[in-house]
Amino acid sequence: MMLGRRSAIAVATLLLVGCARSAGPAQAPAPTPTPVPASLPATAGAQFAAMATGSAGWVKEFGTMWTFDTPPLDYWRAAYDFRPDAGWLEHVRLSSARIPGCSASFVSASGLLMTNHHCARTCITSASPPDSNYQETGFVARSREEEKACPGMYADQLQAIEDVTARVRSAVTASSPERQAAQRDSVLAALQGGCGPELTCQVVTLYQGGLYSLYRFRRFVDVRLVMAPEGQAAFFGGDPDNFTYPRYDLDVTFFRVYQNGAPRATDHHFRWSASGAAEGDLVFVIGNPGSTGRLLTMSQMAYLRDVVYPAQLAGYERNLGVLRHLAARSDADRRRLENQVFSLENSHKAVSGYLRGLLDSAIMGKKAAFERDFRNRIEANPEHRARFAGAWDDIARTQSELASFAVQSRWYGFGGSQLLNLAGGIVRVHEQGALPDAERLAQYRGQGLGRVRTLLLQETPIDTEAERLTLTAHLEAARRELPAGDPYLGAVLAGRTPEAAARTLIAGTRVGDPGTRRSLIEGGPSAVQASADPMIVAASAIAPLAAPYVRRAEGLNARLAVGTERLGQAIFAAYGTALPPDATFTLRISDGVVRRYPMNGTVAPFKTTIYGLYARAAEFDGQSPWNLAPRWQDRRDRLDLSTPLNFVSTNDIIGGNSGSPVLNRNADVVGLIFDGNIESLPNRFIFTDDVARSVSVHSAGIIEALRKVYDAGWIADELIGPSPR
């Protein structure tokens, strides 16, 4: 389970759609970070009490992704007779980390960092020498001197959280949605840029704008690979078994964090449980869930169901078809593209599950019931009614209008080809550069125009066969969905078949050459107008078709952002912190219980064992993807086959939680989250734990594999101490 990564052949949206806000290294001095509160504010405690006598059921439906500044201590005490103190919460927070796209945790005093294998795939590939592929062979450093650098990898440790809601609200004073969005962006950038040189900061929007929190992180950038199993051991069962249970995966990788060239020494790391998780245990998952939609309105969910997800799935299928074709060309291509195939297959299966949830009448019925309860609470309070009563209808109208031209928004652009995207960027730079800043499309305002120019001049590797296949598939899909005589089809196809048009455009363009792009940019609008390059000609024809829809969508999305924030304030007014906010890829703590569940007319066991791994391989006669990695074939007799390998629990997770540690009451590691079962995917919108389960690697299974399969006893000793002699 992971956040989807962008395929290299998928259309780059950076130039033409917009850049997501990110928190870069801060420059200005920061105030002393305030500690994260270790107990509920009095108001939050009152809210929990109110929930207990009102609609307590909504707590369960909205899951258990709790933030660290408002941990539900009273709820935990009532549910589990467990109320952690301030020291426990601080230790858990500082022992946790966030890495690109995933979660991780410190598991030794010498900077050992644990996450999933699938979260480390980029590093594993880049660390592999030319004559070997660690995805296939695995990697185990025999000493710290053999640990391998991971360029681009980093680990963020959450230091402090500060409520900045009042500062954000006071800065947003404009009447128009567009100006409100600009003012909000400005104050968020100022807050994120004011943390000082030692910290990286992010303003986190909670409750859809009902609350803003400034998260301060310490970033570690020297991260080295210590151990990774073979991809076959980490992803045993492949895509058919993905998002299912029972499972038999050793989906673990160990990094080490270094500071000043030496392993990072830390007092805050998780101790290791030798026995691991047992059925009925209370367990906590500490990680960074990516995103959920539990606070969305019914109209927002309908838009995802009818517009967004079907198009997203179709795009995944087109790109997967191209990637698989390209990967079959050679071993080198397979190695180059395997991570992209893995990521897209994972994303396709996840989004398919989300869509099934939205098509499930029971799930939608629960959402409708919550919306009725929510609206009734607002109506019952005169002050709230005056402020928020129209929010749902405003959002519904905006979503309806966006849906009315969703087809044009999807196709009227520069998608389907990196080369067409580059050509569109060149055309847009001149078109938007001729306008006053306030009249430009959002991406080109302020410093945006300069950023796009810089991106256009960078070296961009182009695979012309990939370009041809991807553009052909894109144009075939456009021709199926757009009506005959549509101006976009006329501009790009010009009477040709999609395959012929793609072949002609790709073969005839020089836009892939950085020198050509430079001359077209520096030559000004006249250079573009005079160009006979077929991609530039096509982009010049598409640009005026797309611009009205882009502007219209920008205005509506700004209006939607304002409406969604207004609704978020209403949610916060009605329920406060009694409901956890939607996931934001920031640190959360989720409570749950290790528990079996009904499945296919029988019961799924709470754990699987190494016995089961060998049995499943045998049941498929060792055929891929149920074949055993060579080490596991050769070393079977060394193993205690009764050792637990995977287990399930009722914790609330989603993509981004991959690599999260699973802890017991003592904050000892009992497992490592790596997936959820297929029944958990609809939990994106409403949480249930009747049959939905998180799937983890068992701590005992990890130690057994380190010692007896990978000859990595020194790593096991670092985690748990020397084994008895």
Side-chain angles (χ1 to χ4, degrees):
M1 171 181 294
M2 63 179 179
L3 299 174
R5 296 194 184 117
R6 191 172 304 189
S7 165
I9 68 165
V11 179
T13 59
L14 192 61
L15 295 178
L16 308 174
V17 176
C19 302
R21 280 195 301 270
S22 62
Q27 302 299 322
T32 302
T34 53
V36 177
S39 59
L40 281 173
T43 53
Q47 287 156 356
F48 270 95
M51 289 296 292
T53 57
S55 54
W58 297 126
V59 175
K60 181 177 179 180
E61 268 74 15
F62 282 81
T64 60
M65 295 179 180
W66 307 104
T67 60
F68 270 78
D69 50 340
T70 55
L73 301 179
D74 294 338
Y75 164 69
W76 288 339
R77 181 170 58 186
Y80 310 112
D81 192 25
F82 177 70
R83 184 184 175 93
D85 61 17
W88 192 96
L89 289 164
E90 180 184 41
H91 173 67
V92 163
R93 172 173 53 83
L94 292 174
S95 299
S96 303
R98 183 176 68 178
I99 62 176
C102 287
S103 301
S105 59
F106 290 101
V107 287
S108 86
S110 298
L112 200 64
L113 191 75
M114 180 176 68
T115 190
N116 289 144
H117 181 281
H118 73 253
C119 297
R121 289 179 68 93
T122 299
C123 170
I124 294 168
T125 297
S126 64
S128 300
D131 61 348
S132 183
N133 182 358
Y134 293 155
Q135 300 283 5
E136 296 179 356
T137 66
F139 170 77
V140 181
R142 298 304 169 193
S143 67
R144 290 181 182 174
E145 289 69 30
E146 292 185 5
E147 295 171 356
K148 292 182 174 286
C150 292
M153 178 60 75
Y154 58 84
D156 286 340
Q157 180 191 51
L158 179 60
Q159 302 292 306
I161 302 173
E162 179 185 354
D163 184 351
V164 293
T165 307
R167 292 164 69 181
V168 174
R169 297 260 173 82
S170 65
V172 180
T173 58
S175 57
S176 75
E178 293 83 359
R179 283 294 301 146
Q180 287 182 19
Q183 289 175 333
R184 188 179 304 104
D185 288 347
S186 178
V187 68
L188 296 186
L191 288 166
Q192 291 177 162
C195 279
E198 298 297 323
L199 298 174
T200 296
C201 288
Q202 176 187 359
V203 177
V204 181
T205 303
L206 301 169
Y207 301 101
Q208 301 174 322
L211 187 69
Y212 291 91
S213 293
L214 181 65
Y215 280 47
R216 294 184 172 92
F217 299 92
R218 189 170 303 282
R219 174 163 292 185
F220 304 99
V221 296
D222 187 352
V223 180
R224 306 183 193 182
L225 181 64
V226 178
M227 182 272 172
E230 309 89 340
Q232 185 55 30
F235 198 47
F236 178 81
D239 190 59
D241 282 4
N242 193 20
F243 292 113
T244 68
Y245 185 80
R247 293 287 286 282
Y248 307 91
D249 291 10
L250 187 70
D251 195 350
V252 64
T253 288
F254 291 99
F255 294 120
R256 193 180 306 280
V257 170
Y258 281 71
Q259 280 186 292
N260 302 317
R264 176 182 180 250
T266 176
D267 292 333
H268 290 289
H269 64 275
F270 293 122
R271 296 170 302 181
W272 199 272
S273 169
S275 56
E279 188 160 29
D281 283 356
L282 168 63
V283 289
F284 294 91
V285 170
I286 317 299
N288 300 273
S291 66
T292 51
R294 295 169 187 168
L295 301 181
L296 296 178
T297 66
M298 292 295 290
S299 63
Q300 288 172 312
M301 292 173 65
Y303 185 79
L304 289 172
R305 180 194 64 206
D306 300 336
V307 177
V308 175
Y309 286 160
Q312 201 170 351
L313 289 169
Y316 289 153
E317 290 159 8
R318 290 195 300 272
N319 282 337
L320 276 169
V322 173
L323 282 168
R324 288 168 178 153
H325 175 87
L326 296 172
R329 294 184 302 190
S330 67
D331 285 344
D333 284 318
R334 178 183 57 79
R335 179 173 174 174
R336 179 172 61 87
L337 298 172
E338 62 187 356
N339 286 348
Q340 297 168 45
V341 172
F342 178 93
S343 177
L344 278 180
E345 287 177 341
N346 186 81
S347 296
H348 184 275
K349 203 163 189 178
V351 173
S352 297
Y354 303 155
L355 181 58
R356 282 195 300 273
L358 293 177
L359 293 169
D360 187 309
S361 59
I363 289 174
M364 294 298 278
K366 287 182 179 180
K367 286 292 293 186
F370 169 73
E371 192 160 301
R372 286 193 299 272
D373 179 79
F374 181 14
R375 296 182 77 155
N376 288 339
R377 285 170 181 252
I378 296 302
E379 284 292 330
N381 183 304
E383 181 184 349
H384 293 168
R385 183 171 63 248
R387 291 178 61 195
F388 306 126
W392 291 269
D393 294 339
D394 288 345
I395 289 172
R397 282 191 293 269
T398 305
Q399 294 283 194
S400 178
E401 191 170 348
L402 283 166
S404 71
F405 61 94
V407 172
Q408 288 80 6
S409 291
R410 185 154 56 248
W411 299 113
Y412 286 18
F414 310 110
S417 159
Q418 286 180 290
L419 292 168
L420 181 56
N421 192 33
L422 290 167
I426 293 167
V427 171
R428 282 273 192 252
V429 160
H430 294 308
E431 170 198 87
Q432 297 297 304
L435 299 174
D437 189 77
E439 296 179 17
R440 295 175 187 167
L441 297 175
Q443 179 147 13
Y444 298 87
R445 294 176 196 148
Q447 298 179 353
L449 187 67
R451 282 196 295 267
V452 172
R453 287 172 62 99
T454 299
L455 288 169
L456 287 168
L457 295 174
Q458 292 177 355
E459 287 282 347
T460 305
I462 300 293
D463 182 329
T464 54
E465 185 180 2
E467 286 287 289
R468 179 181 60 79
L469 293 171
T470 307
L471 185 55
T472 297
H474 182 83
L475 294 176
E476 286 174 343
R479 189 171 64 171
R480 286 193 297 270
E481 190 165 5
L482 292 169
D486 184 90
Y488 170 84
L489 296 177
V492 182
L493 296 181
R496 301 166 294 196
T497 66
E499 183 179 8
R503 192 178 298 277
T504 300
L505 288 166
I506 301 300
T509 187
R510 296 291 307 280
V511 167
D513 172 45
T516 299
R517 296 200 296 273
R518 182 176 293 277
S519 66
L520 287 167
I521 291 172
E522 295 179 351
S526 60
V528 170
Q529 293 165 5
S531 176
D533 185 293
M535 280 294 186
I536 294 294
V537 172
S540 297
I542 293 168
L545 297 175
Y549 292 104
V550 175
R551 290 190 184 281
R552 188 177 172 193
E554 284 185 355
L556 288 170
N557 283 321
R559 195 169 86 195
L560 186 63
V562 171
T564 300
E565 179 165 357
R566 183 180 170 208
L567 194 71
Q569 294 173 23
I571 290 170
F572 198 64
Y575 299 99
T577 57
L579 300 182
D582 271 322
T584 52
F585 194 48
T586 49
L587 196 65
R588 304 291 180 92
I589 178 168
S590 170
D591 53 276
V593 177
V594 179
R595 182 182 297 159
R596 67 186 71 185
Y597 65 97
M599 180 189 74
N600 295 339
T602 182
V603 176
F606 87 89
K607 68 178 180 181
T608 62
T609 66
I610 299 175
Y611 274 122
L613 168 68
Y614 287 100
R616 191 154 176 81
E619 288 157 359
F620 285 96
D621 298 320
Q623 296 176 354
S624 177
W626 297 278
N627 54 305
L628 293 166
R631 279 189 185 94
W632 287 83
Q633 294 180 42
D634 297 341
R635 302 187 176 191
R636 172 174 177 163
D637 291 343
R638 297 186 181 187
L639 293 162
D640 177 354
L641 299 181
S642 67
T643 304
L645 185 54
N646 293 165
F647 70 94
V648 289
S649 62
T650 62
N651 298 87
D652 186 10
I653 65 164
I654 201 163
N657 271 119
S658 289
S660 299
V662 187
L663 310 177
N664 60 20
R665 293 170 182 254
N666 299 321
D668 299 334
V669 171
V670 299
L672 173 68
I673 288 288
F674 73 94
D675 207 352
N677 63 1
I678 201 76
E679 295 88 347
S680 72
L681 291 174
N683 279 4
R684 182 177 188 85
F685 301 105
I686 279 284
F687 177 78
T688 67
D689 62 8
D690 297 333
V691 293
R693 291 293 184 271
S694 300
V695 187
S696 301
V697 190
H698 199 281
S699 61
I702 294 172
I703 296 297
E704 185 77 0
L706 287 173
R707 292 199 189 281
K708 299 180 182 179
V709 179
Y710 295 97
D711 296 327
W714 75 279
I715 300 173
D717 290 348
E718 185 172 348
L719 292 170
I720 203 168
S723 60
R725 300 301 181 189

